Amino acid sequence: MYEERIRNADLRNRVISPEEAAAKIRSHMVLGFSGFTSAGYPKAIPQAIASRGEAQDLTVFTGASTGPELDGVLTKAGLMSRRSPFQSNVDSRKAINEGTVEFFDQHLGLMPRFIRDSRHHHLDYAIIECCLVTEDGGVVPTLCGGSTQAMLEQADHVLLELNLAHSAKVYGIHDNYREPGIGCRRGIPIYEVTDRIGTPAIPCDIEKIKGIVITDDFGATPKFTPVDEVSTAIAGHLIDFLKSEIAAGALPEYLYPLQSGVGSVANAVLAGLMDSGFRDLTMYTEVVQDSALELLIAGRMRAASATSLSLSRAGLDRFYSHLDQLKGKIVLRPQDISNHPEIIRRLGVITMNTAIEADIYGNINSTNIMGSRMMNGIGGSGDFARNAQLSIFMTPSTAKGGVISSIVPMVTHVDNISQDVHVLVTEYGAADLRGKSPKERAEIIIETCCHPDFREPLWAYYKRALAESHALHNPVCLTEAFRWHERYLKKGAM
Amino acid sequence: MYEERIRNADLRNRVISPEEAAAKIRSHMVLGFSGFTSAGYPKAIPQAIASRGEAQDLTVFTGASTGPELDGVLTKAGLMSRRSPFQSNVDSRKAINEGTVEFFDQHLGLMPRFIRDSRHHHLDYAIIECCLVTEDGGVVPTLCGGSTQAMLEQADHVLLELNLAHSAKVYGIHDNYREPGIGCRRGIPIYEVTDRIGTPAIPCDIEKIKGIVITDDFGATPKFTPVDEVSTAIAGHLIDFLKSEIAAGALPEYLYPLQSGVGSVANAVLAGLMDSGFRDLTMYTEVVQDSALELLIAGRMRAASATSLSLSRAGLDRFYSHLDQLKGKIVLRPQDISNHPEIIRRLGVITMNTAIEADIYGNINSTNIMGSRMMNGIGGSGDFARNAQLSIFMTPSTAKGGVISSIVPMVTHVDNISQDVHVLVTEYGAADLRGKSPKERAEIIIETCCHPDFREPLWAYYKRALAESHALHNPVCLTEAFRWHERYLKKGAM
């Protein structure tokens, strides 16, 4: 069955068990795993490494987040000591915040460069999920471009997981491209969302491939986050804002290419675009989720470029049953290309990212709850927001059932600075911050975005800041800037 | 004398006095002035507007900072109510911090787009310093590209200051280029620092030119900041770091194109490069100052691209006396091109920017002293640092004669996030932060960069943060994160 998926005869002799693969991994190694937002990550080999339990102090790099069969098992087995660039697994997050895993949070668009350049973190093994190996050793990933190309290039050795659950017919959906070195660059020739400039398979030195493990399992596919009332309200304000920009002649009716974060609010926005009659949409983004897939199938979205297809179990079935229709409309790229400033700026991307909290001046905390607790990572928000034609950040106005205000006097960690935040949206409204001074931003954010329960205390803080601040450009009360957070940590409510 | 500098006969009839020009400016107007880092800004017209004193509530846009004859006089006359994107004048800074001028701090690379796109800030007048007007109305700026092209395009009316103090022989040093609109972009064809893709004069509709004022004065040229012991020590560590990267094969001996901020430390670095025998250097930067000019004249620097030449009075004489030699080596561009992410990333620029303060995790405050007092603005630091091949931030370890530590538990304002800071340098050493977790960054920054007087208190803070923090990814003590700043504000010392 798998033989036809390994087109090189030599390589067919390198099929091994997950246990044999795991035995090659030794303590202190640096491992590069494929995978981006729960798509395309290997499962059998990391589980076997964890079961074996002998390789300690592993440095684990990926494209972005993976699932329980990778981050989960390696963390629980206590084998992972360093992790980059992004994670969202409950166990790895816990270990990072307990201080047992050192996490290095990176712009996702720079991860391939880090893998290529970092002389202190040379990859011993690249462990890659694929659906096909070509005659000359070319690796065809499953549904994730990610950092796989850089890993296959740089690693001393390669282990493949050939996952038969994914169809080999995805051959052709990937566009693997490596930017030339400094001094030889002549621009990346992507001018439309689905322009193809690379190869369908990733070149790989056959000698480096030390084993191929056969699997047949979609694994722990992401759950489709249901759209709730708050998300729908946020999406409504955002879409109203886009319509007002169209009416003012600032955006075309088909919009510019969209980038969208993941989760409930992002799903609500894409569902809202469908319901609002938008047509000829495109995406230039990191992740295509179920909601975007439906726009593509329905013909409302013309084309999408991403670095991974992160689909629910039902979404995978939808994808494979429409594969012929979808293949010309979707391109999966390496994450340095999906997140490249040159392309994002050129295409005029409208970016929509999620905040954990925002402050009255429009600074965004995307990562560290209460300044210290890592959620997932900055992801691609910094790659996209700074280069966006229109940068939108969204958050429900409260968290934890209303005891936390997402709009605060000062964010406890800054990931996206106020200059990179054009519009801030909560379920109470959309604040257009462009061309406004800090004091003007404060007034509109408190009035438009803040939950009514916190509006009066926030006005009170702001007035004290105006009265007491060292200077009046960006008024702050340093003594009480974090008092809301301190109160939450002590008393369980802001 | 000036007649040969106005090559269009019709336009020669539009020569007017500064007072006549000023009389055209009315209250509530939006004005776009040329000028970038004290180069190329008009002087006679703003002074006449200030003397006349009738036009209230002016919105003032520039390329970047100007001098006393523009920011100074308009502020002191109480005529300016809004200002963007950058300033460094003592009077405008005072007004911004007293809250009488609303300042909108922008990435300098995005200012031309803001001028083109902002429907709430349409320019009534562009007021531009030039050294020549061509037969077809083309405007040749003096020593500043800046946002002049966008201003001439967008403004309803144009007033020119033809400054005879500058030679018309600078014709040819500018490369004016406008990026096509979204959907028509095919990449910006700059592959080498001095590639020319535009025109030497900026096209301007002759009908819009409402007057030309003749001047003959360099104005308040910037003082050359002397290099002191601390700056020399910072430069020494930085150059040692660059040499170690060369030795490791990570940088070529000629380095990649350099971007350098302005001021004493930047001058010391460039002087240090001269003394260390570097050759074939290039710059892709915002501002060429005296120190870079000397490298060009000495033949150590091969070529430089910038948006302005900000030279001392003596530097101007050096420039004009070597103009023939320098013209092929220097290109002045619009600031959206000098600061464009596409080019900065493509060329692999090594960026060197100045911090006001840095925290133990490597976040940089470039703008707001004590979180509220605007210094100058973010400038191009965000354009350059995020897209750099190697991003270096520099600061003396203390300020105000040692009572302020520039390395603090938490910065009071974030302009450049830790991901965009690869190396932090003070006079005590260079901390290589690449690939490090927050806790690893904290240890190396305290040990390497902090002034010895503050090292022990900073270790003590960090240990309390480790003990008390809500979570241990990015340990913080929210209750005392700003205590050093509070102490300074109360007692005059941290």
Side-chain angles (χ1 to χ4, degrees):
Chain A
M1 173 65 191
Y2 68 80
E3 285 79 358
E4 65 193 21
R5 304 263 202 128
I6 305 177
R7 304 246 163 105
N8 177 292
D10 243 20
L11 286 176
R12 276 198 289 271
N13 297 324
R14 298 190 207 166
V15 171
I16 57 176
S17 71
E19 292 69 29
E20 288 172 299
K24 298 178 186 294
I25 306 304
R26 289 190 298 278
S27 291
H28 317 302
M29 277 188 169
V30 180
L31 307 179
F33 291 96
S34 62
F36 196 104
T37 317
S38 295
Y41 62 94
K43 298 157 195 79
I45 300 174
Q47 289 186 101
I49 296 170
S51 297
R52 190 176 163 85
E54 287 185 13
Q56 309 279 325
D57 184 31
L58 298 175
T59 295
V60 173
F61 296 143
T62 58
S65 53
T66 71
E69 310 95 328
L70 201 168
D71 269 309
V73 296
L74 292 178
T75 306
K76 284 198 278 194
L79 305 178
M80 181 163 80
S81 59
R82 295 182 66 75
R83 181 76 175 88
S84 192
F86 187 91
Q87 52 73 49
S88 65
N89 175 264
V90 60
D91 296 302
S92 59
R93 185 186 292 141
K94 187 161 173 282
I96 288 164
N97 288 309
E98 286 173 350
T100 57
V101 169
E102 292 303 309
F103 178 62
F104 171 44
D105 185 19
Q106 290 198 69
H107 296 301
L108 293 181
L110 293 176
M111 190 62 194
R113 184 171 89 184
F114 179 77
I115 290 169
R116 290 178 172 120
D117 286 359
S118 177
R119 48 190 196 275
H120 304 299
H121 299 94
H122 180 75
L123 291 195
D124 295 294
Y125 271 89
I127 304 176
I128 305 297
E129 184 180 85
C130 62
C131 64
L132 184 71
V133 185
T134 65
E135 173 68 32
D136 55 354
V139 175
V140 181
T142 55
L143 300 184
C144 157
S147 291
T148 302
Q149 182 166 4
M151 290 171 177
L152 286 171
E153 254 173 51
Q154 294 296 316
D156 290 337
H157 313 288
V158 171
L159 290 168
L160 299 177
E161 272 194 32
L162 181 65
N163 188 344
L164 305 177
H166 288 279
S167 167
K169 284 188 185 168
V170 300
Y171 181 88
I173 207 166
H174 292 277
D175 187 53
N176 300 293
Y177 173 81
R178 178 180 175 167
E179 198 178 8
I182 296 168
C184 307
R185 294 177 184 161
R186 291 293 176 274
I188 300 170
I190 295 174
Y191 310 117
E192 302 282 344
V193 160
T194 45
D195 279 350
R196 289 177 176 279
I197 58 175
T199 57
I202 305 173
C204 180
D205 176 355
I206 288 179
E207 292 315 303
K208 295 209 299 193
I209 300 176
K210 296 295 152 43
I212 303 178
V213 170
I214 311 298
T215 68
D216 188 358
D217 185 359
F218 282 135
T221 49
K223 301 278 174 288
F224 186 81
T225 323
V227 168
D228 60 11
E229 205 178 317
V230 168
S231 307
T232 306
I234 294 173
H237 291 302
L238 193 156
I239 290 168
D240 285 348
F241 175 81
L242 293 176
K243 286 180 178 170
S244 71
E245 289 288 293
I246 293 170
L251 289 177
E253 291 202 5
Y254 54 84
L255 300 173
Y256 294 128
L258 303 171
Q259 173 255 344
S260 168
V262 301
S264 161
V265 177
N267 278 331
V269 170
L270 293 177
L273 289 172
M274 175 90 103
D275 297 341
S276 306
F278 281 89
R279 295 186 169 279
D280 291 321
L281 297 171
T282 56
M283 285 189 107
Y284 197 84
T285 192
E286 287 176 330
V287 184
V288 162
Q289 287 186 287
D290 293 60
S291 47
L293 191 74
E294 293 305 324
L295 283 166
L296 286 161
I297 291 172
R300 294 300 190 83
M301 185 173 286
R302 191 163 54 75
S305 166
T307 197
S308 86
L309 278 169
S310 180
L311 301 171
S312 69
R313 188 66 188 74
L316 282 168
D317 289 340
R318 293 277 287 165
F319 171 71
Y320 279 117
S321 67
H322 291 79
L323 186 56
D324 290 342
Q325 174 196 347
L326 290 170
K327 246 169 88 172
K329 296 181 174 183
I330 298 176
V331 184
L332 295 183
R333 306 184 188 277
Q335 70 201 69
D336 47 348
I337 304 300
S338 65
N339 291 29
H340 203 295
E342 174 174 336
I343 316 299
I344 295 163
R345 176 82 170 255
R346 178 182 300 154
L347 298 178
V349 176
I350 299 172
T351 67
M352 304 183 288
N353 289 288
T354 309
I356 288 173
E357 60 178 3
D359 66 27
I360 56 174
Y361 297 119
N363 299 291
I364 301 290
N365 180 0
S366 310
T367 57
N368 280 273
I369 294 170
M370 304 293 144
S372 59
R373 181 176 289 279
M374 173 53 63
M375 188 69 190
N376 304 330
I378 191 169
S381 65
D383 299 321
F384 281 94
R386 183 153 300 172
N387 298 297
Q389 177 67 15
L390 181 65
S391 164
I392 302 166
F393 278 84
M394 312 174 287
T395 178
S397 69
T398 61
K400 296 254 176 197
V403 297
I404 289 178
S405 174
S406 308
I407 312 295
V408 293
M410 185 186 269
V411 290
T412 51
H413 186 89
V414 176
D415 295 281
N416 288 284
I417 64 173
S418 59
Q419 282 90 341
D420 300 335
V421 183
H422 302 156
V423 184
L424 180 65
V425 190
T426 69
E427 73 273 28
Y428 289 98
D432 184 351
L433 308 175
R434 295 173 296 179
K436 295 199 168 63
S437 73
K439 292 191 285 296
E440 293 166 333
R441 291 200 295 271
E443 296 189 4
I444 189 174
I445 288 174
I446 298 173
E447 213 43 47
T448 311
C449 300
C450 186
H451 189 284
D453 290 353
F454 290 99
R455 210 169 285 166
E456 206 182 309
L458 205 47
W459 272 120
Y461 165 82
Y462 177 60
K463 283 172 187 169
R464 282 194 301 280
L466 281 172
E468 295 169 21
S469 181
H470 171 59
L472 287 177
H473 169 61
N474 189 75
V476 291
C477 251
L478 293 176
T479 49
E480 56 167 308
F482 298 143
R483 205 164 283 168
W484 292 25
H485 300 87
E486 293 165 26
R487 199 153 47 222
Y488 168 76
L489 289 173
K490 267 193 200 150
K491 304 187 174 172
M494 281 189 169
Chain B
M1 172 68 191
Y2 68 81
E3 286 79 359
E4 64 193 23
R5 304 262 204 130
I6 306 176
R7 305 245 164 107
N8 179 292
D10 244 19
L11 286 175
R12 277 198 287 272
N13 298 324
R14 297 190 208 166
V15 171
I16 56 176
S17 70
E19 292 69 30
E20 288 172 301
K24 298 178 187 293
I25 307 304
R26 288 190 297 278
S27 291
H28 318 302
M29 276 189 170
V30 180
L31 307 179
F33 291 95
S34 62
F36 196 104
T37 318
S38 295
Y41 62 93
K43 299 155 194 83
I45 300 174
Q47 288 187 101
I49 295 170
S51 298
R52 191 177 164 86
E54 287 185 11
Q56 307 280 325
D57 185 30
L58 299 175
T59 294
V60 172
F61 297 143
T62 58
S65 54
T66 72
E69 309 95 327
L70 200 168
D71 269 308
V73 295
L74 292 178
T75 307
K76 285 198 277 194
L79 305 179
M80 181 163 80
S81 59
R82 295 182 66 75
R83 181 74 175 88
S84 192
F86 187 92
Q87 52 73 50
S88 66
N89 176 264
V90 60
D91 296 302
S92 59
R93 186 186 291 142
K94 186 161 175 280
I96 288 164
N97 288 308
E98 286 174 350
T100 57
V101 168
E102 293 302 309
F103 178 61
F104 171 44
D105 185 18
Q106 291 198 68
H107 296 301
L108 292 181
L110 293 176
M111 189 63 194
R113 183 171 90 186
F114 180 77
I115 290 169
R116 290 179 172 119
D117 287 359
S118 178
R119 49 191 196 275
H120 304 299
H121 299 95
H122 178 76
L123 290 195
D124 295 295
Y125 271 89
I127 304 175
I128 305 299
E129 184 181 85
C130 61
C131 63
L132 184 71
V133 185
T134 65
E135 173 68 33
D136 56 355
V139 175
V140 181
T142 55
L143 300 184
C144 156
S147 290
T148 302
Q149 182 165 5
M151 290 171 178
L152 287 172
E153 254 174 52
Q154 294 296 315
D156 290 336
H157 313 288
V158 171
L159 291 168
L160 298 177
E161 273 195 30
L162 181 65
N163 189 344
L164 306 177
H166 288 278
S167 167
K169 285 188 184 167
V170 302
Y171 181 88
I173 206 166
H174 293 277
D175 187 53
N176 300 293
Y177 173 81
R178 180 182 174 164
E179 198 178 7
I182 296 168
C184 307
R185 295 179 184 160
R186 291 291 175 277
I188 301 168
I190 295 173
Y191 311 117
E192 302 282 345
V193 160
T194 45
D195 279 352
R196 290 177 175 278
I197 59 174
T199 56
I202 305 173
C204 179
D205 176 356
I206 289 181
E207 292 315 302
K208 294 209 298 193
I209 300 176
K210 296 296 154 43
I212 303 178
V213 170
I214 311 299
T215 67
D216 188 359
D217 186 359
F218 283 135
T221 50
K223 302 278 173 289
F224 186 81
T225 323
V227 168
D228 60 10
E229 205 178 317
V230 168
S231 306
T232 306
I234 293 173
H237 292 301
L238 193 156
I239 290 168
D240 285 347
F241 175 81
L242 293 175
K243 286 180 178 169
S244 71
E245 289 288 293
I246 293 169
L251 289 177
E253 291 203 8
Y254 54 85
L255 299 174
Y256 294 129
L258 304 171
Q259 174 256 343
S260 167
V262 301
S264 161
V265 178
N267 278 331
V269 170
L270 293 177
L273 289 172
M274 175 91 101
D275 298 340
S276 304
F278 282 90
R279 296 188 169 276
D280 291 323
L281 297 171
T282 56
M283 286 190 104
Y284 197 84
T285 191
E286 287 175 330
V287 182
V288 162
Q289 288 187 288
D290 294 61
S291 47
L293 191 73
E294 293 306 323
L295 283 166
L296 286 160
I297 291 172
R300 296 298 191 84
M301 185 172 286
R302 192 163 54 75
S305 166
T307 197
S308 86
L309 278 170
S310 181
L311 302 172
S312 69
R313 188 65 188 74
L316 282 168
D317 289 339
R318 292 277 288 165
F319 170 71
Y320 279 118
S321 66
H322 291 78
L323 186 56
D324 289 342
Q325 173 197 349
L326 290 169
K327 246 170 88 172
K329 295 182 174 183
I330 298 176
V331 184
L332 295 183
R333 306 185 188 277
Q335 70 201 68
D336 47 348
I337 304 301
S338 65
N339 291 30
H340 203 294
E342 175 174 335
I343 315 298
I344 295 163
R345 176 83 169 254
R346 179 182 299 154
L347 297 179
V349 176
I350 299 173
T351 67
M352 304 183 287
N353 288 289
T354 309
I356 288 174
E357 59 178 3
D359 66 27
I360 56 174
Y361 297 121
N363 298 292
I364 300 290
N365 180 0
S366 311
T367 57
N368 279 274
I369 294 169
M370 303 294 141
S372 59
R373 183 176 287 278
M374 173 53 65
M375 188 68 190
N376 303 332
I378 190 169
S381 65
D383 299 321
F384 281 94
R386 183 153 300 171
N387 297 297
Q389 178 67 15
L390 181 64
S391 164
I392 302 166
F393 278 84
M394 313 173 288
T395 179
S397 69
T398 61
K400 296 252 177 199
V403 297
I404 289 178
S405 174
S406 307
I407 312 295
V408 294
M410 185 186 269
V411 290
T412 51
H413 186 89
V414 177
D415 295 281
N416 288 283
I417 64 173
S418 59
Q419 282 90 342
D420 300 334
V421 183
H422 301 156
V423 183
L424 180 64
V425 189
T426 68
E427 73 273 28
Y428 289 97
D432 184 352
L433 308 174
R434 294 173 296 179
K436 295 200 167 63
S437 73
K439 293 190 285 296
E440 292 165 333
R441 291 200 294 270
E443 296 189 4
I444 187 175
I445 288 174
I446 299 173
E447 213 43 47
T448 311
C449 300
C450 187
H451 189 284
D453 289 353
F454 290 99
R455 211 170 283 166
E456 204 182 311
L458 205 47
W459 272 121
Y461 164 81
Y462 178 59
K463 283 172 186 167
R464 282 195 300 280
L466 281 171
E468 295 170 21
S469 182
H470 172 58
L472 288 177
H473 169 61
N474 190 75
V476 292
C477 251
L478 293 176
T479 50
E480 56 168 310
F482 297 142
R483 205 164 285 169
W484 292 24
H485 301 86
E486 293 164 26
R487 198 153 46 222
Y488 169 76
L489 289 173
K490 266 192 202 151
K491 303 185 177 176
M494 280 188 170

